Amino acid sequence: MKMKKVFIILLLLFSFGKSYSVNPNEKKKITPLCETRALAMNRLSDFFKSYDTTILKVLFSIPSDETNNQTTNPNIEYMINKNRELISILSSINPDVYKPENLNVSDDLIVFAGAIELYTERKSRQINTNYVPVDCIKNVILGFFDVVSLIEDYVALIKTGGNWATVRSLIFRTLKRYAGWIAAANLIYEIATECY
């Protein structure tokens, strides 16, 4: 009986320890991890809304050889700067997969990962008309990929401990056509203008 009580106390302590994280700057404040994730997901939704759609439209309407020249195209620089922000958000959502030191701000596939994360979170929370129409985001994402099961494959990969290299490989392999920043800009444009 005494062992049972000790086991229950340890179980409760263990579950309490897993549910909360302590902010290093403010030791007295305890923030639930689920709240932190929810804030990061709201930042992700706001992030997709914050893109300058004029720049996005320009990006996917010019020839790819001009678009992919990152040193001379200010629109690409804009996308790279936005990727810095996206990397920060994604690392807040899942620090095991999206380690900033493993992500390159010039990697346009990060945008696709962000869109899939947005969809999976909205779908799991069943957020409807007040935020982003879930089906719209799913349709936009699937319009870029050959595999209809991409989202389920992505979620399974994340749940089984996949890292950015494996996630990136899945995204790259299943794209209908790799088009660099043109495709990334088009994806964001469609989400920003059709789903919000």
Side-chain angles (χ1 to χ4, degrees), residues 1 13 15 156 169 190:
M1 185 70 154
L13 287 173
S15 65
S169 176
E190 287 185 28

Side-chain angles (χ1 to χ4, degrees), residues 5-6 35 51 60-61 82 84 87 103 109 148 164:
K5 287 181 183 179
V6 170
E35 183 181 319
Y51 270 92
F60 65 81
S61 64
K82 291 297 283 183
R84 280 185 180 80
I87 288 170
L103 301 173
L109 296 180
V148 175
W164 174 242

Side-chain angles (χ1 to χ4, degrees), residues 57-71:
K57 199 170 186 179
V58 167
L59 266 174
F60 65 81
S61 64
I62 59 177
S64 63
D65 56 337
E66 291 177 37
T67 304
N68 291 325
N69 187 353
Q70 297 178 7
T71 57

Side-chain angles (χ1 to χ4, degrees), residues 83-95:
N83 247 12
R84 280 185 180 80
E85 183 182 347
L86 180 56
I87 288 170
S88 171
I89 295 168
L90 289 174
S91 67
S92 296
I93 292 168
N94 191 335

Side-chain angles (χ1 to χ4, degrees), residues 6-20:
V6 170
F7 177 74
I8 290 173
I9 290 171
L10 287 174
L11 184 63
L12 289 173
L13 287 173
F14 180 75
S15 65
F16 179 80
K18 286 289 188 185
S19 299
Y20 295 92

Side-chain angles (χ1 to χ4, degrees), residues 138-145 176:
K138 180 180 179 181
N139 291 337
V140 168
I141 292 168
L142 294 180
F144 287 86
F145 293 92
K176 284 183 179 175

Side-chain angles (χ1 to χ4, degrees), residues 2 6 33 37 46 55 93-94 107 114 128 147 151 154-155 178 191-192:
K2 196 172 194 180
V6 170
L33 289 176
R37 181 174 167 82
D46 292 342
I55 290 175
I93 292 168
N94 191 335
D107 188 352
N128 295 327
V147 181
I151 295 170
Y154 182 91
V155 170
Y178 178 74
I191 290 173

